[in-house]
Amino acid sequence: MSTPEHLVFVTGRMARARLEKVAATLPADRYAWSIADAGVKVAALMTEEIIRRRVTMPEGATRIILPGRCRANPEALSRHFGLPVERGPDEVVDLPAHLGLAGRKVDLSRHDLRIFSEIVDASKMSAEQILAKGLDLARRGADVIDLGGLPDTDFPHLEDSVRLLKGAGLKVSVDSFSLDELRRGARAGADFLLSLNEETLDLAFETDAVPVLVPMRPDDLPSLDRAIERMERAGKPYMADPILEPIHFGFVESITRYHETRRRWPGIEMMMGTGNLTELTEADSLGVTALLVGMCSELAIRNVLIVQVSNHTRRTVEEHDAARRVMFAAKADAALPKGYGRALLALHDKRPFVQTPDEIAAQAAEVRDPNYRIAVAEDGVHIYNRAIHETGTDAMAFFPHLDVASDGAHAFYLGGELTKAETAWRLGKRYVQDEPLRWGAAAEAEIEDTTAFKKAGHTKHSGGGTPDVGRVERGSPLPGGEGQGEGSELSGERTPLTPTLSPQEREPVAQPAATDEVARPDGGARIVCGKLVPAGER
């Protein structure tokens, strides 16, 4: 029997009890564990210096796990302790999944689906504009840039456009009803031609560009079979696209044609154009895309043609990219596409509420400072400090209870956070104070340096005639690594509102602060949540 791995969880005072509760559920035959308390209140604000100075590894430790929101550098700490160090999940409830106990280790680095992204109005754009658009589409996940021709619209700069895209290292396809445009695009170096049928198939033998074959009419599958047979006899590469049709205009029948084509031709390359469903259905496109890419995965269709014209499909490249990675991983595991991350979840989260109302109440009872914490549970939005603990479902209804009428900066901050919390509660999304809501592939995710604290925000103190103390700081460390707010379970707390101090006002990080407030050199008064509090007032 193998010796259990000895995990060391580094945390702070507020998170310790909840971390112990989850760690106690880890299987003893696989994991022994210890908790290393860094001696700070807010684990998320621990620094490398604090961890190096205050934390000692127990005998037999094999791996160190930091809080997910801790900004310390795992590599630097690994060198210091001589052990592997990694950043764990943001929320302690996700720790079993992080360790691979609640599911499988997720690898979304691979896929087998090629994305053709069409520039539908290419003929109306300059060659330079087409290049810029193509580079942007490639950045977002497209593998092939498709130049769409328009009926009765000249495309005199087609060759220049193909050459520019190819010169930039991009794969190019030309999509046109005009044989002349297809021929010109192929001569200029296009890699693919969309689309040829049995009557126009001769063009495929004039060029090395790979043709995409389509039926004469969407319901004429035998014509597609005849085109496929000709290409098979010639031994030339091609793809077949039975044509996906819109809902109420042949959608279900078209799906059966994809299935039938795969049955008849088990090993051929196929394409599906998803735009007839994503563009022509006024529904959030992420779920539609996930379903279609799932069909592609089942039928081994390894090419999709996508288009973005409608505003509701503005993220279609990113959505297809996310879906192809999830479906590939699930298929490789012979599993359902569940438990492979949150990229395909935009409006709702699978596990939105990471704390119960009772757990939040227990944390609120321990608070001894006036800074407001915000959390979301199944019963609504919670806001609390040492004086109050209010619960509700209307962000604006909290205002009379918060004593910020004379503090515009703080009121502005709390209004924004409470509104975000209300949105999360109504939709069933995870909420973390001072963090943006996550919208999966439906919105651009903020790319952040996980080894650095967040920069200061722009809200200035302006209330009650008290002095302007500078810009409000979010998620930044206080002297000694202490902090004010909370939200994460594994990480402990977050800092909802802390004024930036000048270098002369700050104490060195290595010197622990005696209180939870930030000291000021003006007669002993302290700045708390952007407000000047007289000496001795707690």
mmCIF file of all heavy atoms in Angstrom, residues 17-58:
data_model
loop_
_atom_site.group_PDB
_atom_site.id
_atom_site.type_symbol
_atom_site.label_atom_id
_atom_site.label_comp_id
_atom_site.label_asym_id
_atom_site.label_seq_id
_atom_site.Cartn_x
_atom_site.Cartn_y
_atom_site.Cartn_z
ATOM 1 N N ALA A 17 -11.145 27.516 9.308
ATOM 2 C CA ALA A 17 -12.189 26.585 9.734
ATOM 3 C C ALA A 17 -12.870 25.924 8.546
ATOM 4 O O ALA A 17 -13.119 24.714 8.538
ATOM 5 C CB ALA A 17 -13.207 27.310 10.606
ATOM 6 N N ARG A 18 -13.174 26.697 7.515
ATOM 7 C CA ARG A 18 -13.844 26.131 6.346
ATOM 8 C C ARG A 18 -12.907 25.211 5.582
ATOM 9 O O ARG A 18 -13.327 24.196 5.029
ATOM 10 C CB ARG A 18 -14.351 27.247 5.438
ATOM 11 C CG ARG A 18 -15.252 28.227 6.177
ATOM 12 C CD ARG A 18 -16.353 28.753 5.302
ATOM 13 N NE ARG A 18 -17.243 27.679 4.902
ATOM 14 C CZ ARG A 18 -17.783 27.605 3.689
ATOM 15 N NH1 ARG A 18 -17.524 28.520 2.804
ATOM 16 N NH2 ARG A 18 -18.593 26.619 3.373
ATOM 17 N N LEU A 19 -11.631 25.567 5.525
ATOM 18 C CA LEU A 19 -10.660 24.714 4.848
ATOM 19 C C LEU A 19 -10.512 23.380 5.573
ATOM 20 O O LEU A 19 -10.453 22.318 4.945
ATOM 21 C CB LEU A 19 -9.320 25.435 4.757
ATOM 22 C CG LEU A 19 -8.175 24.686 4.085
ATOM 23 C CD1 LEU A 19 -8.559 24.235 2.690
ATOM 24 C CD2 LEU A 19 -6.932 25.567 4.042
ATOM 25 N N GLU A 20 -10.469 23.420 6.899
ATOM 26 C CA GLU A 20 -10.377 22.180 7.673
ATOM 27 C C GLU A 20 -11.575 21.270 7.404
ATOM 28 O O GLU A 20 -11.439 20.046 7.300
ATOM 29 C CB GLU A 20 -10.291 22.501 9.165
ATOM 30 C CG GLU A 20 -8.945 23.054 9.602
ATOM 31 C CD GLU A 20 -8.927 23.421 11.076
ATOM 32 O OE1 GLU A 20 -10.023 23.630 11.643
ATOM 33 O OE2 GLU A 20 -7.829 23.498 11.651
ATOM 34 N N LYS A 21 -12.755 21.881 7.297
ATOM 35 C CA LYS A 21 -13.975 21.104 7.064
ATOM 36 C C LYS A 21 -13.909 20.353 5.741
ATOM 37 O O LYS A 21 -14.283 19.171 5.656
ATOM 38 C CB LYS A 21 -15.181 22.051 7.084
ATOM 39 C CG LYS A 21 -16.521 21.367 6.926
ATOM 40 C CD LYS A 21 -17.649 22.396 7.007
ATOM 41 C CE LYS A 21 -19.008 21.748 6.800
ATOM 42 N NZ LYS A 21 -20.103 22.763 6.851
ATOM 43 N N VAL A 22 -13.418 21.020 4.690
ATOM 44 C CA VAL A 22 -13.325 20.362 3.377
ATOM 45 C C VAL A 22 -12.166 19.379 3.356
ATOM 46 O O VAL A 22 -12.284 18.267 2.825
ATOM 47 C CB VAL A 22 -13.179 21.421 2.269
ATOM 48 C CG1 VAL A 22 -12.896 20.756 0.927
ATOM 49 C CG2 VAL A 22 -14.442 22.270 2.168
ATOM 50 N N ALA A 23 -11.043 19.763 3.927
ATOM 51 C CA ALA A 23 -9.878 18.876 3.921
ATOM 52 C C ALA A 23 -10.179 17.567 4.649
ATOM 53 O O ALA A 23 -9.649 16.505 4.289
ATOM 54 C CB ALA A 23 -8.681 19.577 4.556
ATOM 55 N N ALA A 24 -11.042 17.627 5.660
ATOM 56 C CA ALA A 24 -11.388 16.419 6.409
ATOM 57 C C ALA A 24 -12.124 15.394 5.555
ATOM 58 O O ALA A 24 -12.204 14.219 5.908
ATOM 59 C CB ALA A 24 -12.238 16.789 7.623
ATOM 60 N N THR A 25 -12.667 15.832 4.418
ATOM 61 C CA THR A 25 -13.384 14.905 3.533
ATOM 62 C C THR A 25 -12.459 14.204 2.552
ATOM 63 O O THR A 25 -12.888 13.308 1.831
ATOM 64 C CB THR A 25 -14.475 15.653 2.740
ATOM 65 O OG1 THR A 25 -13.854 16.561 1.817
ATOM 66 C CG2 THR A 25 -15.399 16.434 3.668
ATOM 67 N N LEU A 26 -11.180 14.601 2.496
ATOM 68 C CA LEU A 26 -10.249 13.990 1.544
ATOM 69 C C LEU A 26 -9.966 12.553 1.955
ATOM 70 O O LEU A 26 -9.819 12.254 3.153
ATOM 71 C CB LEU A 26 -8.947 14.792 1.493
ATOM 72 C CG LEU A 26 -9.069 16.265 1.077
ATOM 73 C CD1 LEU A 26 -7.699 16.936 1.085
ATOM 74 C CD2 LEU A 26 -9.720 16.396 -0.294
ATOM 75 N N PRO A 27 -9.876 11.640 1.019
ATOM 76 C CA PRO A 27 -9.652 10.226 1.364
ATOM 77 C C PRO A 27 -8.300 10.021 2.034
ATOM 78 O O PRO A 27 -7.255 10.390 1.486
ATOM 79 C CB PRO A 27 -9.733 9.516 0.007
ATOM 80 C CG PRO A 27 -9.463 10.582 -1.005
ATOM 81 C CD PRO A 27 -9.987 11.851 -0.437
ATOM 82 N N ALA A 28 -8.322 9.420 3.203
ATOM 83 C CA ALA A 28 -7.102 9.253 3.995
ATOM 84 C C ALA A 28 -6.093 8.329 3.327
ATOM 85 O O ALA A 28 -4.890 8.425 3.582
ATOM 86 C CB ALA A 28 -7.465 8.718 5.380
ATOM 87 N N ASP A 29 -6.568 7.437 2.470
ATOM 88 C CA ASP A 29 -5.629 6.525 1.814
ATOM 89 C C ASP A 29 -4.843 7.218 0.710
ATOM 90 O O ASP A 29 -3.816 6.695 0.257
ATOM 91 C CB ASP A 29 -6.370 5.315 1.247
ATOM 92 C CG ASP A 29 -7.412 5.719 0.211
ATOM 93 O OD1 ASP A 29 -7.978 6.834 0.333
ATOM 94 O OD2 ASP A 29 -7.675 4.928 -0.716
ATOM 95 N N ARG A 30 -5.307 8.397 0.297
ATOM 96 C CA ARG A 30 -4.603 9.134 -0.761
ATOM 97 C C ARG A 30 -3.886 10.373 -0.239
ATOM 98 O O ARG A 30 -2.848 10.757 -0.775
ATOM 99 C CB ARG A 30 -5.588 9.546 -1.868
ATOM 100 C CG ARG A 30 -6.109 8.377 -2.677
ATOM 101 C CD ARG A 30 -6.958 8.840 -3.828
ATOM 102 N NE ARG A 30 -6.256 9.747 -4.724
ATOM 103 C CZ ARG A 30 -6.798 10.283 -5.831
ATOM 104 N NH1 ARG A 30 -8.061 9.988 -6.140
ATOM 105 N NH2 ARG A 30 -6.104 11.077 -6.598
ATOM 106 N N TYR A 31 -4.475 11.016 0.776
ATOM 107 C CA TYR A 31 -3.910 12.287 1.222
ATOM 108 C C TYR A 31 -3.832 12.368 2.745
ATOM 109 O O TYR A 31 -4.816 12.093 3.447
ATOM 110 C CB TYR A 31 -4.762 13.457 0.737
ATOM 111 C CG TYR A 31 -4.854 13.579 -0.766
ATOM 112 C CD1 TYR A 31 -6.053 13.303 -1.428
ATOM 113 C CD2 TYR A 31 -3.751 13.938 -1.525
ATOM 114 C CE1 TYR A 31 -6.146 13.397 -2.811
ATOM 115 C CE2 TYR A 31 -3.838 14.034 -2.911
ATOM 116 C CZ TYR A 31 -5.034 13.764 -3.541
ATOM 117 O OH TYR A 31 -5.112 13.860 -4.901
ATOM 118 N N ALA A 32 -2.662 12.737 3.234
ATOM 119 C CA ALA A 32 -2.532 13.321 4.561
ATOM 120 C C ALA A 32 -2.453 14.821 4.342
ATOM 121 O O ALA A 32 -2.074 15.274 3.258
ATOM 122 C CB ALA A 32 -1.272 12.798 5.251
ATOM 123 N N TRP A 33 -2.822 15.604 5.334
ATOM 124 C CA TRP A 33 -2.814 17.037 5.100
ATOM 125 C C TRP A 33 -2.517 17.808 6.379
ATOM 126 O O TRP A 33 -2.751 17.330 7.487
ATOM 127 C CB TRP A 33 -4.143 17.514 4.507
ATOM 128 C CG TRP A 33 -5.364 17.136 5.301
ATOM 129 C CD1 TRP A 33 -6.085 15.987 5.178
ATOM 130 C CD2 TRP A 33 -5.972 17.892 6.356
ATOM 131 N NE1 TRP A 33 -7.125 15.973 6.070
ATOM 132 C CE2 TRP A 33 -7.085 17.123 6.810
ATOM 133 C CE3 TRP A 33 -5.717 19.113 6.955
ATOM 134 C CZ2 TRP A 33 -7.920 17.570 7.827
ATOM 135 C CZ3 TRP A 33 -6.539 19.562 7.979
ATOM 136 C CH2 TRP A 33 -7.630 18.795 8.401
ATOM 137 N N SER A 34 -1.965 18.997 6.156
ATOM 138 C CA SER A 34 -1.712 19.941 7.237
ATOM 139 C C SER A 34 -2.138 21.319 6.761
ATOM 140 O O SER A 34 -2.156 21.602 5.548
ATOM 141 C CB SER A 34 -0.224 19.974 7.602
ATOM 142 O OG SER A 34 0.231 18.702 7.992
ATOM 143 N N ILE A 35 -2.497 22.160 7.707
ATOM 144 C CA ILE A 35 -2.828 23.548 7.387
ATOM 145 C C ILE A 35 -1.763 24.454 7.998
ATOM 146 O O ILE A 35 -1.492 24.378 9.202
ATOM 147 C CB ILE A 35 -4.220 23.934 7.900
ATOM 148 C CG1 ILE A 35 -5.287 23.160 7.117
ATOM 149 C CG2 ILE A 35 -4.455 25.437 7.775
ATOM 150 C CD1 ILE A 35 -6.715 23.470 7.512
ATOM 151 N N ALA A 36 -1.153 25.262 7.161
ATOM 152 C CA ALA A 36 -0.144 26.215 7.601
ATOM 153 C C ALA A 36 -0.765 27.600 7.629
ATOM 154 O O ALA A 36 -1.051 28.180 6.579
ATOM 155 C CB ALA A 36 1.061 26.187 6.666
ATOM 156 N N ASP A 37 -1.022 28.101 8.832
ATOM 157 C CA ASP A 37 -1.633 29.419 9.005
ATOM 158 C C ASP A 37 -0.539 30.469 8.920
ATOM 159 O O ASP A 37 0.400 30.481 9.722
ATOM 160 C CB ASP A 37 -2.336 29.479 10.363
ATOM 161 C CG ASP A 37 -3.228 30.705 10.502
ATOM 162 O OD1 ASP A 37 -2.908 31.738 9.883
ATOM 163 O OD2 ASP A 37 -4.222 30.628 11.245
ATOM 164 N N ALA A 38 -0.646 31.361 7.947
ATOM 165 C CA ALA A 38 0.373 32.395 7.736
ATOM 166 C C ALA A 38 0.267 33.523 8.743
ATOM 167 O O ALA A 38 1.058 34.465 8.697
ATOM 168 C CB ALA A 38 0.280 32.950 6.322
ATOM 169 N N GLY A 39 -0.700 33.454 9.652
ATOM 170 C CA GLY A 39 -0.804 34.461 10.693
ATOM 171 C C GLY A 39 -1.408 35.764 10.236
ATOM 172 O O GLY A 39 -1.238 36.807 10.894
ATOM 173 N N VAL A 40 -2.125 35.736 9.104
ATOM 174 C CA VAL A 40 -2.814 36.936 8.617
ATOM 175 C C VAL A 40 -4.305 36.633 8.582
ATOM 176 O O VAL A 40 -4.729 35.475 8.617
ATOM 177 C CB VAL A 40 -2.321 37.356 7.209
ATOM 178 C CG1 VAL A 40 -0.848 37.690 7.229
ATOM 179 C CG2 VAL A 40 -2.617 36.275 6.180
ATOM 180 N N LYS A 41 -5.070 37.680 8.514
ATOM 181 C CA LYS A 41 -6.518 37.508 8.486
ATOM 182 C C LYS A 41 -6.993 37.108 7.100
ATOM 183 O O LYS A 41 -7.880 36.281 6.944
ATOM 184 C CB LYS A 41 -7.174 38.806 8.931
ATOM 185 C CG LYS A 41 -8.687 38.745 9.079
ATOM 186 C CD LYS A 41 -9.187 40.075 9.608
ATOM 187 C CE LYS A 41 -10.703 40.078 9.774
ATOM 188 N NZ LYS A 41 -11.189 41.402 10.230
ATOM 189 N N VAL A 42 -6.387 37.681 6.071
ATOM 190 C CA VAL A 42 -6.856 37.506 4.701
ATOM 191 C C VAL A 42 -5.828 36.747 3.889
ATOM 192 O O VAL A 42 -4.801 37.288 3.518
ATOM 193 C CB VAL A 42 -7.137 38.868 4.038
ATOM 194 C CG1 VAL A 42 -7.664 38.680 2.626
ATOM 195 C CG2 VAL A 42 -8.107 39.658 4.878
ATOM 196 N N ALA A 43 -6.100 35.489 3.621
ATOM 197 C CA ALA A 43 -5.147 34.650 2.907
ATOM 198 C C ALA A 43 -4.875 35.148 1.501
ATOM 199 O O ALA A 43 -3.777 34.992 0.980
ATOM 200 C CB ALA A 43 -5.664 33.210 2.855
ATOM 201 N N ALA A 44 -5.874 35.751 0.876
ATOM 202 C CA ALA A 44 -5.707 36.218 -0.501
ATOM 203 C C ALA A 44 -4.651 37.297 -0.612
ATOM 204 O O ALA A 44 -4.101 37.525 -1.683
ATOM 205 C CB ALA A 44 -7.035 36.746 -1.034
ATOM 206 N N LEU A 45 -4.353 37.973 0.492
ATOM 207 C CA LEU A 45 -3.403 39.084 0.462
ATOM 208 C C LEU A 45 -2.032 38.698 1.002
ATOM 209 O O LEU A 45 -1.200 39.553 1.257
ATOM 210 C CB LEU A 45 -3.973 40.265 1.260
ATOM 211 C CG LEU A 45 -5.319 40.781 0.754
ATOM 212 C CD1 LEU A 45 -5.757 41.997 1.553
ATOM 213 C CD2 LEU A 45 -5.260 41.120 -0.727
ATOM 214 N N MET A 46 -1.785 37.413 1.180
ATOM 215 C CA MET A 46 -0.461 36.984 1.601
ATOM 216 C C MET A 46 0.559 37.294 0.516
ATOM 217 O O MET A 46 0.277 37.192 -0.667
ATOM 218 C CB MET A 46 -0.457 35.477 1.880
ATOM 219 C CG MET A 46 -1.279 35.046 3.068
ATOM 220 S SD MET A 46 -1.111 33.274 3.409
ATOM 221 C CE MET A 46 -1.704 32.555 1.871
ATOM 222 N N THR A 47 1.745 37.652 0.936
ATOM 223 C CA THR A 47 2.843 37.892 0.000
ATOM 224 C C THR A 47 3.862 36.770 0.131
ATOM 225 O O THR A 47 3.853 36.001 1.101
ATOM 226 C CB THR A 47 3.524 39.234 0.291
ATOM 227 O OG1 THR A 47 4.124 39.173 1.593
ATOM 228 C CG2 THR A 47 2.527 40.385 0.247
ATOM 229 N N GLU A 48 4.767 36.709 -0.819
ATOM 230 C CA GLU A 48 5.830 35.714 -0.735
ATOM 231 C C GLU A 48 6.641 35.905 0.533
ATOM 232 O O GLU A 48 7.024 34.938 1.205
ATOM 233 C CB GLU A 48 6.738 35.824 -1.961
ATOM 234 C CG GLU A 48 6.099 35.350 -3.249
ATOM 235 C CD GLU A 48 6.954 35.686 -4.452
ATOM 236 O OE1 GLU A 48 8.200 35.666 -4.306
ATOM 237 O OE2 GLU A 48 6.397 35.995 -5.514
ATOM 238 N N GLU A 49 6.926 37.174 0.884
ATOM 239 C CA GLU A 49 7.730 37.454 2.066
ATOM 240 C C GLU A 49 7.042 36.949 3.330
ATOM 241 O O GLU A 49 7.672 36.343 4.202
ATOM 242 C CB GLU A 49 7.987 38.964 2.168
ATOM 243 C CG GLU A 49 8.718 39.393 3.435
ATOM 244 C CD GLU A 49 10.100 38.782 3.560
ATOM 245 O OE1 GLU A 49 10.691 38.413 2.528
ATOM 246 O OE2 GLU A 49 10.578 38.647 4.710
ATOM 247 N N ILE A 50 5.743 37.184 3.426
ATOM 248 C CA ILE A 50 5.000 36.714 4.596
ATOM 249 C C ILE A 50 5.041 35.196 4.681
ATOM 250 O O ILE A 50 5.279 34.622 5.751
ATOM 251 C CB ILE A 50 3.545 37.209 4.541
ATOM 252 C CG1 ILE A 50 3.494 38.716 4.832
ATOM 253 C CG2 ILE A 50 2.660 36.450 5.529
ATOM 254 C CD1 ILE A 50 2.116 39.307 4.645
ATOM 255 N N ILE A 51 4.819 34.526 3.568
ATOM 256 C CA ILE A 51 4.807 33.059 3.574
ATOM 257 C C ILE A 51 6.188 32.511 3.912
ATOM 258 O O ILE A 51 6.334 31.593 4.732
ATOM 259 C CB ILE A 51 4.306 32.526 2.223
ATOM 260 C CG1 ILE A 51 2.840 32.923 2.006
ATOM 261 C CG2 ILE A 51 4.457 31.001 2.151
ATOM 262 C CD1 ILE A 51 2.314 32.599 0.640
ATOM 263 N N ARG A 52 7.217 33.069 3.309
ATOM 264 C CA ARG A 52 8.577 32.592 3.592
ATOM 265 C C ARG A 52 8.929 32.793 5.059
ATOM 266 O O ARG A 52 9.564 31.942 5.687
ATOM 267 C CB ARG A 52 9.583 33.321 2.713
ATOM 268 C CG ARG A 52 9.614 32.869 1.265
ATOM 269 C CD ARG A 52 10.870 33.356 0.569
ATOM 270 N NE ARG A 52 10.929 34.812 0.545
ATOM 271 C CZ ARG A 52 10.549 35.561 -0.476
ATOM 272 N NH1 ARG A 52 10.067 34.971 -1.568
ATOM 273 N NH2 ARG A 52 10.635 36.873 -0.431
ATOM 274 N N ARG A 53 8.514 33.927 5.601
ATOM 275 C CA ARG A 53 8.926 34.288 6.957
ATOM 276 C C ARG A 53 8.113 33.584 8.031
ATOM 277 O O ARG A 53 8.637 33.245 9.096
ATOM 278 C CB ARG A 53 8.799 35.818 7.104
ATOM 279 C CG ARG A 53 9.323 36.385 8.399
ATOM 280 C CD ARG A 53 9.532 37.881 8.266
ATOM 281 N NE ARG A 53 8.413 38.545 7.640
ATOM 282 C CZ ARG A 53 7.318 38.935 8.286
ATOM 283 N NH1 ARG A 53 7.205 38.700 9.572
ATOM 284 N NH2 ARG A 53 6.348 39.558 7.650
ATOM 285 N N ARG A 54 6.822 33.337 7.760
ATOM 286 C CA ARG A 54 5.941 32.860 8.822
ATOM 287 C C ARG A 54 5.572 31.384 8.739
ATOM 288 O O ARG A 54 5.068 30.820 9.700
ATOM 289 C CB ARG A 54 4.647 33.682 8.834
ATOM 290 C CG ARG A 54 4.854 35.159 9.069
ATOM 291 C CD ARG A 54 3.512 35.852 9.157
ATOM 292 N NE ARG A 54 3.659 37.303 9.303
ATOM 293 C CZ ARG A 54 2.639 38.141 9.437
ATOM 294 N NH1 ARG A 54 1.399 37.680 9.434
ATOM 295 N NH2 ARG A 54 2.849 39.437 9.555
ATOM 296 N N VAL A 55 5.773 30.774 7.592
ATOM 297 C CA VAL A 55 5.300 29.405 7.389
ATOM 298 C C VAL A 55 6.463 28.421 7.466
ATOM 299 O O VAL A 55 7.493 28.615 6.827
ATOM 300 C CB VAL A 55 4.557 29.270 6.048
ATOM 301 C CG1 VAL A 55 4.243 27.814 5.750
ATOM 302 C CG2 VAL A 55 3.283 30.104 6.055
ATOM 303 N N THR A 56 6.268 27.365 8.241
ATOM 304 C CA THR A 56 7.234 26.272 8.338
ATOM 305 C C THR A 56 6.565 24.988 7.863
ATOM 306 O O THR A 56 5.434 24.687 8.247
ATOM 307 C CB THR A 56 7.706 26.093 9.788
ATOM 308 O OG1 THR A 56 8.297 27.317 10.231
ATOM 309 C CG2 THR A 56 8.731 24.972 9.889
ATOM 310 N N MET A 57 7.259 24.263 7.032
ATOM 311 C CA MET A 57 6.695 23.031 6.497
ATOM 312 C C MET A 57 6.823 21.890 7.507
ATOM 313 O O MET A 57 7.886 21.710 8.120
ATOM 314 C CB MET A 57 7.405 22.635 5.199
ATOM 315 C CG MET A 57 7.066 23.540 4.034
ATOM 316 S SD MET A 57 5.314 23.487 3.603
ATOM 317 C CE MET A 57 4.851 25.183 4.002
ATOM 318 N N PRO A 58 5.766 21.107 7.701
ATOM 319 C CA PRO A 58 5.837 19.957 8.608
ATOM 320 C C PRO A 58 6.674 18.833 8.005
ATOM 321 O O PRO A 58 6.890 18.768 6.795
ATOM 322 C CB PRO A 58 4.374 19.540 8.749
ATOM 323 C CG PRO A 58 3.732 19.996 7.485
ATOM 324 C CD PRO A 58 4.437 21.263 7.106
#
